[in-house]
């Protein structure tokens, strides 16, 4: 569409005048004119739009070029800029407080220009509105995809008021300026999270184009244009306009918010589109939109400033976790409170039976599962009452009145008199009476209601100058095999204790050891620079109850004799569960066999993904079978478990056979291998 200037120059050449006459008054009606008044500037004489073409293909193109030359020809006579009215452009998907904003702007003398549904909403509350098409002389088209992408809109937003040639260009083309731009975007986030099976085309149609363009244009030109994307800023905007303020800090803050708004929006579109494009877990680049939830009193230490942000990624939508927990009571959360509450909630959510977890400094110091949740609570505290005091207590069941009273009145097992004190209580829900009772325990007790974390999330961790990304650790005992490698086989109850301890040790900081019996943690050792010290701490806390208990380690034991494995066996431990993978695994097996202790390997902390068999793999297998046939290997060769060692040293590599269609030895060659698991 081509628009004529506000007034035609009287000195235009006769040839140009002839072309104009031909364009506007041709009896063939190939071209039609439409008057389109502008509210901010003397209107264009006419808007000319090509409706149909001549049978001669070149004619319309030449005519359009000639008209463009006429319309862009500068006036020979200088003409001062006409006084400009104050204009505000409003285009909203979320129309919260729209009437308040519209009335406030009109009371301040602003002409409101708006689009589609926003214009209708303003008219419905009795406000006068200039519609965008009245400025552009062009209707919405392509199902609303094109309505504001026009020079009469973006020229009025982007023109710099302190640049004379910018203002002269507006005058020449009859374009008014916008002083305020209020825009928010199509609800893309809400659309793609409203259902798991959103059609691709529905998602694409909710990607806003014109909105971000207007927001970015106004934010770029914030020195002259106030841009607002959040209804919470409407009162501050109106106050600023009433005061005729020229504070650039206010304008810059609104501009920052606008760019951040668009960036978060684009990150959601990018994340969603990556999911539709590929099945890969880790994209080449990643943007994580964060929204501040609260400012914290201080960080990990009192001299550090801190804040808490909520992850607004699509992957985190309705995904549960401490970040979205509801706080029903107590002091504001601190930096360390969030870390501890997260650790407690993640741990207790692992268990299917009614369970209580007590955490101190992100480590579970007490865990117990029972049909009676009151008993589970008492046992969890009993595991380490000194550490439990001032800790975080978490439950995976509703806290009713009876449990709330037990939490409120329970006395420390150390002296039977001191009422237990906690920083935080976390649970999936509370009864009305239970919440009332807990609130009476302390004014400062933080009471959180949280939803269980969804599985399959991306786990991020910051390092200096970068981030580590990995799958969340969602493994449970049901997902792994506890392979007995000792001569003694654990009883069913002992194996269940080992599985319970494995779930606990998963949440203890390495080097980590957990001792458990009857679905109750007896003691744990964490964070020590060597595994032997962690073992001794766990055994000391377990006391005499260690006899017949299960012990789980988060990594293999590098030594067995006169070290952790032998000390555990001598203490009366019934079963040891560890990943395996040490070059001295055979020492651990022989040590457990000497003391009649069961040893199981989980094989979950070592290895890399399955690979197709290569020539190198086959050569290694040939060497392995040959090694075994000559009696050099120290451990028996068997399908599914092959360790290559010679004289105590790793000969080739540790191979885990994952799938064997057939297993046949001939001249030292193992046939029928389909895939293998290669451990470092």
């Amino acid at each position: 569409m081509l628009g004529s200037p506000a007034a035609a120059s009287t000195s235009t050449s006769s040839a140009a005048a002839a072309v104009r006459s031909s364009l506007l008054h041709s009896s063939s009606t190939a071209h039609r004119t439409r008057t389109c008044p502008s509210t901010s500037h003397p209107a264009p004489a006419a808007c000319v739009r090509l409706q149909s073409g001549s049978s001669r293909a070149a004619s319309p193109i030449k005519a359009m070029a000639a008209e463009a030359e006429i319309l862009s020809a500068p006036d020979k006579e200088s003409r001062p800029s006409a006084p400009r009215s104050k204009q505000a452009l409003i285009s909203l998907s979320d129309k919260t407080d729209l009437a308040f904003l519209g009335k406030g702007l009109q009371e301040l003398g602003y002409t409101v220009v708006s689009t589609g549904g926003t214009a209708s909403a303003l008219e419905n509350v009795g406000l006068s509105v200039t519609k965008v098409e009245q400025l552009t002389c062009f209707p919405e088209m392509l199902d609303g995809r094109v309505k504001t992408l026009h020079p009469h809109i973006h020229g009025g937003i982007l023109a710099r008021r302190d640049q004379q040639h910018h203002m002269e260009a507006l005058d020449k083309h009859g374009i008014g300026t916008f002083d305020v731009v209020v825009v928010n975007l199509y609800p893309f986030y809400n659309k793609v999270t409203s259902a798991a099976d959103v059609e691709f085309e529905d998602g694409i149609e909710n990607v806003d184009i014109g909105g971000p363009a207007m927001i970015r244009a106004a934010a770029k030109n914030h020195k002259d244009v106030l841009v607002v994307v959040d209804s919470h800023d409407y009162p501050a905007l109106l106050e600023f306009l009433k005061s005729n303020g020229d504070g650039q800090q206010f304008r810059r803050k609104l501009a920052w918010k606008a760019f951040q708004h668009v960036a978060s929006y684009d990150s959601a579109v990018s994340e969603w589109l990556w999911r539709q494009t590929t099945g890969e877990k880790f994209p080449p680049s990643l943007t994580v939109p964060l929204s501040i939830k609260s400012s914290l009193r201080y960080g990990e230490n009192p001299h550090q400033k801190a804040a808490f942000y909520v992850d607004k990624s699509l992957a985190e939508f309705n995904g549960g976790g401490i970040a979205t927990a509801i706080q029903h009571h107590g002091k504001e959360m601190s930096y360390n409170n969030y870390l501890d509450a997260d650790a407690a909630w993640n741990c207790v959510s692992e268990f299917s039976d009614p369970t209580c977890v007590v955490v101190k400094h992100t480590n579970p110091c007490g865990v117990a599962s029972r049909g009676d949740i009151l008993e589970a609570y008492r046992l969890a505290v009993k595991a380490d009452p000194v550490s439990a005091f001032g800790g975080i207590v978490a439950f995976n069941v509703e806290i009713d009145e009876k449990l709330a009273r037990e939490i409120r009145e329970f006395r420390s097992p150390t002296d039977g008199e001191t009422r237990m004190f906690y920083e935080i209580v976390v649970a999936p829900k509370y009864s009305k009476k239970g919440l009332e009772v807990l609130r009476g325990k302390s004014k400062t007790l933080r009471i959180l209601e949280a939803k269980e974390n969804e599985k399959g999330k991306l786990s991020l961790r910051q390092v200096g100058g970068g981030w580590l990304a990995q799958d969340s650790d969602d493994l449970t005992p049901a997902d792994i095999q506890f392979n007995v490698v000792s001569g003694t086989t654990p009883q069913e109850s002992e194996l269940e204790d080992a599985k319970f301890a494995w779930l606990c040790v998963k949440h203890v900081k390495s080097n980590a050891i957990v001792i458990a019996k009857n679905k109750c943690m007896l003691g744990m050792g964490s964070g020590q620079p060597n595994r032997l010290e962690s073992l001794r701490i766990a055994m000391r806390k377990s006391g005499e109850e260690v006899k017949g208990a299960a012990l789980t380690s988060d990594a293999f034991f590098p030594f067995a004799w006169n070290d952790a494995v032998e000390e555990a066996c001598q203490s009366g431990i019934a079963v040891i569960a560890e990943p395996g993978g040490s070059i001295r695994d055979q020492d651990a097996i022989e040590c457990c066999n000497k003391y009649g202790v069961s040893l199981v390997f989980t094989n979950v902390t070592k290895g890399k993904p399955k690979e197709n068999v290569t020539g190198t793999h086959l050569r290694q297998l040939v060497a392995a079978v040959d090694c075994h046939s000559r009696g050099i290997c120290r451990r028996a060769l068997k399908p599914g478990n092959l360790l290559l060692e010679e004289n105590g040293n790793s000969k080739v590599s540790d191979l885990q056979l994952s799938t064997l269609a057939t297993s046949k030895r001939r001249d030292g060659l193992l046939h029928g291998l389909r895939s293998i698991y290669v451990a470092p």
Side-chain angles (χ1 to χ4, degrees), residues 613 618 659-664 669-675:
V613 178
L618 291 175
T659 307
L660 284 173
T662 61
S663 181
K664 179 180 177 183
L669 184 62
L670 198 63
H671 292 278
L673 184 65
R674 289 181 177 172
S675 62

Side-chain angles (χ1 to χ4, degrees), residues 217-330:
K220 177 175 181 176
N221 202 27
H222 64 270
K223 181 180 178 182
D224 298 312
V225 183
L226 289 159
V227 58
V228 178
V229 296
D230 185 352
S231 60
H232 291 97
D233 293 325
Y234 294 170
L237 169 69
L238 295 176
E239 285 299 319
F240 182 82
L241 294 174
K242 286 177 184 178
S243 66
N244 292 315
D246 192 30
Q248 287 301 308
Q249 287 303 314
F250 180 71
R251 290 175 175 272
R252 288 175 185 174
K253 185 174 182 180
L254 290 179
W256 162 81
K257 196 169 188 177
F259 279 118
Q260 184 62 46
H261 181 67
V262 175
S264 295
Y265 188 88
D266 286 345
S267 73
V269 176
S270 173
E271 180 184 355
W272 177 78
L273 200 55
W274 175 257
R275 292 182 183 178
Q276 313 302 313
T277 305
T278 176
E280 294 180 30
K281 184 76 173 183
F282 306 105
S285 62
L286 181 64
T287 302
V288 180
L290 303 176
S291 177
I292 194 165
K293 182 174 183 178
S294 61
S295 295
L296 306 179
R297 287 178 296 161
Y298 53 83
E300 190 171 5
N301 299 292
H303 64 276
Q304 294 174 276
K305 294 181 179 179
F308 183 62
Y309 290 83
V310 175
D311 189 339
K312 303 300 288 187
S313 302
L314 295 178
E316 288 291 339
F317 175 76
N318 216 20
I322 286 298
T324 56
I326 300 170
Q327 184 171 349
H328 290 291
H329 182 72

